Amino acid sequence: MVTMESDVKRITDEVGNRSEPFRRLLEQMHRVIVGQDALLHRMLIGLLSNGHLLLEGVPGLAKTMAVSCLARGIRTRFQRLQFTPDLLPADLIGTLIYKPNDGTFAVQKGPIFANIILADEINRAPAKVQSALLEAMQERQVTIGKETHRLDEPFLVLATQNPIEQEGTYPLPEAQVDRFMMKLLVSYPTKEQERKILDRMAFTKPDMDIDLVMEPADIAAARKLVDEIYIDDKVKDYIVDITMATRDPVAYQIPIADWIQYGASPRATLALTVGARASAFLAGRGYVTPQDVKTVAPDVLRHRVIITYEAEAEEKTSEDVVKAVLDHVAVP
């Protein structure tokens, strides 16, 4: 036990040093973005966890701007992709170009070969384009012709979608949505935040400058340390209980069985674990608490729980399922 406590103390000391650039990155992002604390915090969790994020919200809530700010604070390559119905997979991953002078083909890499990808309005692209992007997300590689090309690290996809406009869109299937580590719901700012937005941004050329605070090597070192953050066995069991309760709520005495068609996949368990570690890292701790799990649970689970028609008839959502699970599963 003494050794374990000393290890946790050592990791906590290292976390305090390694997490400082991320706190400064958060401060720089807040120089441009007013409010949206949860969104910016979860974006850093995604960056630390090597997990992709799906951002959902009505237009004008600074989703694209937030991703752009994140990219500008890191010395990485950033690519914004506007998804449209006429987009082709080759427009995303690249293609083979014929060279008539020697009769050979050369690889022309597409915009996917960047570090931070903003897939704007991902649900406007057809299924083939969505599949090409999601394959790159899952495998971290792209095949063009007969050659397979590894994507550089860090590689982070932040996709946005508009929930109120469905005409001319191609909704992501559940199996593809499951590949996103978290789904973030971006809400309207408060009255006070709206006034700050007015004061800061109501100019023909608002100040969008952000200081560069981080290198890719800092992200790699931080991810390595995140993997070392201590999780007690009781917290691990708590994570598994949360996932299992979405599949079999009766076993946990949660009266929501009629609401759930399919529960969360094992990807949810993995995302909860890594996300909780990243949350502890940002808090400057070398150990995970149950609150870290609760912090990331709604974003990890909301797109992985599929509700029944009965639940829809009762105007229940996956949010209600997740809330009931978190309220009923015993906290260690």
Side-chain angles (χ1 to χ4, degrees), residues 5 41 64 101 120 131 162 168 176 184 229:
E5 288 179 354
H41 181 262
T64 300
N101 57 336
D120 218 354
S131 298
N162 179 358
Q176 294 183 355
L184 312 179
I229 289 179

Side-chain angles (χ1 to χ4, degrees), residues 157-169:
V157 173
L158 297 104
T160 70
Q161 63 180 13
N162 179 358
I164 62 173
E165 192 173 357
Q166 301 302 323
E167 186 176 349
T169 63

Side-chain angles (χ1 to χ4, degrees), residues 245-266:
T246 67
R247 304 174 195 168
D248 186 11
V250 176
Y252 293 85
Q253 299 180 346
I254 309 176
I256 56 172
D258 293 339
W259 298 357
I260 302 173
Q261 184 174 5
Y262 295 104
S265 71

Side-chain angles (χ1 to χ4, degrees), residues 5 17 41 43 68 79 165 179 220 226 228 259 274 297:
E5 288 179 354
N17 295 327
H41 181 262
M43 286 170 60
S68 176
Q79 191 71 51
E165 192 173 357
R179 297 187 185 185
V226 165
E228 296 182 27
W259 298 357
V274 181

Side-chain angles (χ1 to χ4, degrees), residues 46-58:
L47 182 64
L48 284 165
S49 305
N50 200 19
H52 311 291
L53 307 181
L54 180 61
L55 283 57
E56 183 175 289
V58 299

